[in-house]
Amino acid sequence: MIFAIEEINQNPAILPNHTLGYKIYNSCGMTNIIKAAIELASGHREVIDERNCTKADAALVVLGHSGSAPTMGFARVIGRFQIPVISHFATCECLSNREEFPSFFRTIPSDLHQSRALAKLVRHFGWTWVGAISNKNDYGINGITSFIQAAQEEGVCIEYYQAFEQTGPLSELRRVVETVKHSTSKVIVAFMSHREVKVLAAELHRQNITGLQFVGSDAWITDHSLTDSEGHSILVGSLGFVVSRARIPGLEEHLRRLRPSQFPDSRFVRDFWEETFDCSLGNDTNTQRKCSGLESLQNVETYFTDVSELRFTNNVYKSVYAAAHSLHNLVTCEGKMGPFSNGSCADTKHFEPWQVLHYLQNINFTTTQGERVTFDQNGDSPARYELINLQRVTSGTAHVSTVGVFDATLPGERQFVMNGVKIVWGGGSYTVPVSVCSESCPPGKRKALQKGKPVCCYDCVPCAEGEISKIKDSVDCFKCPIDYWPNTRGDTCILKEIEFLSYAEFMGIILTFLCLLGAVLTVVIALVFYHFRESPIVRANNSELSFLLLFSLTLCFLCSLTFIGRPSEWSCMLRHTAFGITFVLCISCVLGKTIVVLMAFRATLPGRNMMKWFGPAQQRLSVLAFTLIQVVICILWLTINPPFPFKNMNHYKEKIILECALGSAVGFWAVLGYIGLLAILCFVLAFLARKLPDNFNEAKFITFSMLIFCAVWITFIPAYVSSPGKFTVAVEIFAILASSYGLIFCIFIPKCYVILLRPEQNTKKHMMGKTKDIQY
């Protein structure tokens, strides 16, 4: 402070023709501090330097105190007189209350910012489960309360909070240590002074409680006196925020010019001098050599002359300059441009403290080191901290490194930045400690809070079926879009597998092969029949209907191919209608052949001429009529509500079945029902013709073929309804192929066997060989 005042008095640019004076009160105890404040406010004691003052007067600005509690005590008193108070180290958030402390300012940030910075610090390292300890005064209680609130906003939980005083009963300290011993958190946020930290560290050391990571407030984190405490090793690795380091040119030279004669009443100077030079300044008769008081500090290296870590000292420097700039603005005010009524300025010979207060509230200047000094409406300075790490302690000196910065004037996401310097953690470890109530939940799981515990204590529960979580520690899981499904880890939605009967898969290949084999076989049979069309067995079996039946069977085999492949609008309409029409054509031909056999048999009876009523023309018309009925049903189906491609997402949750929806279920079952009706009719007629002569066994073969046909399609209905996905289509194809192959093997293969392998039986005589055995 003295250095800054002398520097200002020698600077013609600040307060020209004016000299700053000062009075230092080095009082201990709240009573003496309050007494000194009253004396400063009332002006009952003269100032120390009378060369430029004509009489005793009240102080215009008061600098101090270092502690929040003493500052609160005298700031209330001085505030009533509107005398500005500037503190360099009182950080309690409560001092920002303008109603209670209307004239208070500070060049150190409020604990509100420090508390928020500490909350961001613990969250940055993933410490979501911490303990909190403070001392039992306004500084500690207000600071830790702000920290707890900010920590909760950051998602950090407080396992415990304890408070004690160094001067309190020992049971309080032991209670705090017992709480720490039985806690599960490994990080302690200590918002207290160096005095409480000393006794706490000593007691933890005595009870051999290790593995703790301390996070401290600026009141103790850089205090060199901690190196003398019994448990100082426990504090190695501590992290904490302090005001930024600064360099003050000329201060070191000023300190090295110190002489005891300058401060004859200072006990501090006396003790420092005697300890540094190992001598005695007093007149006592001890054997220690006497100090002359002229010893030089120029070549002495002590913590007093060390200006490499100027942090809170710089705040004192800024406080003096803040007072000087406010006074400078006051005395240089130009008439009619002042801030008071009618543009008036203060009387420079008799100005009042409240006028200085006005100017102090509005100062805005930059120091020679480039640091901006200003106050907000609550008298607080902009908050900018350095994050320091206590890395080691050697020979009574704490070695710290700056590992990050916090600047409250920047946007939220840019306020806290690490600089990449290697950090020493609690106990001298180089591994980041873990302090959580529950381990992080990986993607694919969500948090489920444990009953009766803080939100940081939870179980990791897998996401429900169809849901995912993409980030760690997700509170909720989210449903995948309808076309997507979670992967096996449950952290990403992937497109659902689309299932349909494909030509490329094994089952599709087999069915395609059977379809083509059936079609080829049918064509070969047709060629055989055409080549032997004049033979008795072909002519006896109604060659015209046989060729038409073979043609319809070829279509039946080929229409099965429309059921394979990706369903489309046209394939869905084609597959069911083509199948329905070709099968009716097929059954109509079989029905026609059955009627022809019956008519031919009945025509052999005397007096009967039935064949004239069912000749070739009638046979063709009957087939056409039966087929047209199915065509009409299919047209109505396609017109009213045709089949269409449909994504079935109900049967399987993890995949999509691409299938053909029936559109109108009535239309589908009408098509099948009509086929079934014709098949039953054909079966009944063929059954009635079963007693024909052995060599003329067309009716028996039709009976067997219709028996197979009906068995296949009766079995098809429950299999079709119960089969999932592509197997539904496979069942339908199998039914078509089985019934088609049944007709071929029962009706045409025996005839081909006779034609190709037993030509001696392919004669009219053989065909009519047993007619004499028929009884009329």
Side-chain angles (χ1 to χ4, degrees), residues 18 54-55 57 60 330-331 345-356:
H18 292 79
T54 57
K55 62 178 180 178
D57 201 354
L60 296 174
L330 184 148
V331 299
C345 298
D347 184 354
T348 57
K349 293 183 178 180
H350 299 93
F351 50 84
E352 300 293 333
W354 65 266
Q355 295 171 321
V356 180

Side-chain angles (χ1 to χ4, degrees), residues 459-477:
D459 297 316
C460 293
V461 179
C463 290
E465 193 175 50
E467 296 183 346
I468 65 161
S469 62
K470 292 185 176 181
I471 59 174
K472 289 174 61 178
D473 294 329
S474 178
V475 177
D476 296 306
C477 295

Side-chain angles (χ1 to χ4, degrees), residues 104-172:
F104 177 77
F105 298 85
R106 52 184 158 195
T107 52
I108 188 170
S110 163
D111 280 338
L112 174 64
H113 300 293
Q114 184 177 194
S115 298
R116 290 174 177 171
L118 290 173
K120 287 183 179 292
L121 170 65
V122 296
R123 190 69 185 90
H124 175 80
F125 292 111
W127 301 328
T128 56
W129 189 238
V130 301
I133 305 175
S134 76
N135 48 356
K136 281 186 174 179
N137 59 20
D138 289 331
Y139 166 76
I141 293 173
N142 281 285
I144 207 69
T145 301
S146 297
F147 165 75
I148 292 173
Q149 181 179 352
Q152 290 172 344
E153 292 173 359
E154 293 286 341
V156 177
C157 297
I158 310 300
E159 182 183 11
Y160 61 85
Y161 166 55
Q162 295 289 336
F164 74 101
E165 282 288 337
Q166 178 214 9
T167 56
L170 186 59
S171 59
E172 282 189 352

Side-chain angles (χ1 to χ4, degrees), residues 444 462-469 476-494 496 652-655:
C463 290
E465 193 175 50
E467 296 183 346
I468 65 161
S469 62
D476 296 306
C477 295
F478 303 94
K479 281 190 173 295
C480 288
I482 193 167
D483 288 343
Y484 290 79
W485 190 254
N487 60 358
T488 53
R489 296 186 302 274
D491 58 2
T492 305
C493 288
I494 57 176
K496 287 182 179 179
Y652 296 111
K653 294 180 179 179
E654 71 279 6
K655 57 185 175 181

Side-chain angles (χ1 to χ4, degrees), residues 686-701:
F687 183 77
L688 294 175
R690 70 189 184 282
K691 292 184 178 181
L692 289 174
D694 290 342
N695 290 349
F696 194 65
N697 54 6
E698 179 81 7
K700 290 183 180 181
F701 294 140

Side-chain angles (χ1 to χ4, degrees), residues 390-661:
L390 180 58
Q391 299 201 331
R392 67 184 190 279
V393 176
T394 57
S395 62
T397 303
H399 297 269
V400 299
S401 291
T402 300
V403 295
V405 293
F406 177 85
D407 192 342
T409 61
L410 297 176
E413 66 279 0
R414 294 169 49 200
Q415 288 181 345
F416 179 52
V417 180
M418 302 295 292
N419 61 13
V421 174
K422 192 172 185 179
I423 298 175
V424 176
W425 301 102
S429 170
Y430 289 94
T431 304
V432 182
V434 177
S435 186
V436 294
C437 183
S438 300
E439 292 294 332
S440 293
C441 291
K445 295 185 177 182
R446 65 173 180 85
K447 293 180 179 180
L449 297 182
Q450 297 177 359
K451 188 175 182 180
K453 292 189 177 182
V455 294
C456 299
C457 301
Y458 49 82
D459 297 316
C460 293
V461 179
C463 290
E465 193 175 50
E467 296 183 346
I468 65 161
S469 62
K470 292 185 176 181
I471 59 174
K472 289 174 61 178
D473 294 329
S474 178
V475 177
D476 296 306
C477 295
F478 303 94
K479 281 190 173 295
C480 288
I482 193 167
D483 288 343
Y484 290 79
W485 190 254
N487 60 358
T488 53
R489 296 186 302 274
D491 58 2
T492 305
C493 288
I494 57 176
L495 274 171
K496 287 182 179 179
E497 177 189 351
I498 297 179
E499 181 182 272
F500 59 90
L501 187 58
S502 167
Y503 287 105
E505 62 181 289
F506 180 74
M507 184 164 57
I509 292 171
I510 294 297
L511 292 174
T512 302
F513 172 75
L514 292 175
C515 292
L516 295 176
L517 179 63
V520 171
L521 182 61
T522 308
V523 171
V524 170
I525 292 172
L527 292 174
V528 171
F529 267 54
Y530 180 76
H531 185 268
F532 296 96
R533 61 187 178 278
E534 300 299 331
S535 64
I537 196 170
V538 175
R539 296 187 62 178
N541 283 281
N542 197 329
S543 59
E544 186 175 344
L545 285 179
S546 294
F547 283 115
L548 188 58
L549 177 57
L550 288 169
F551 172 72
S552 63
L553 283 172
T554 304
L555 294 180
C556 286
F557 282 116
L558 294 177
C559 82
S560 300
L561 296 176
T562 63
F563 288 82
I564 304 174
R566 189 182 187 93
S568 63
E569 186 175 349
W570 285 103
S571 69
C572 286
M573 290 190 292
L574 180 63
R575 62 171 61 171
H576 289 104
T577 53
F579 150 70
I581 293 171
T582 55
F583 251 75
V584 165
L585 177 61
C586 178
I587 300 300
S588 298
C589 292
V590 175
L591 182 60
K593 288 172 70 68
T594 306
I595 295 173
V596 168
V597 171
L598 282 173
M599 294 298 103
F601 175 69
R602 296 300 180 187
T604 61
L605 298 178
R608 302 276 183 100
N609 190 15
M610 300 292 292
M611 287 303 297
K612 69 177 182 179
W613 301 107
F614 204 71
Q618 287 81 1
Q619 294 169 24
R620 287 191 287 269
L621 283 174
S622 65
V623 171
L624 180 62
F626 286 134
T627 306
L628 281 176
I629 294 173
Q630 184 73 304
V631 170
V632 171
I633 294 173
C634 290
I635 291 174
L636 291 174
W637 183 13
L638 295 178
T639 303
I640 297 172
N641 193 1
F644 58 90
F646 172 67
K647 291 181 178 181
N648 186 346
M649 301 181 185
N650 299 322
H651 200 283
Y652 296 111
K653 294 180 179 179
E654 71 279 6
K655 57 185 175 181
I656 300 172
I657 301 173
L658 198 57
E659 60 186 14
C660 287

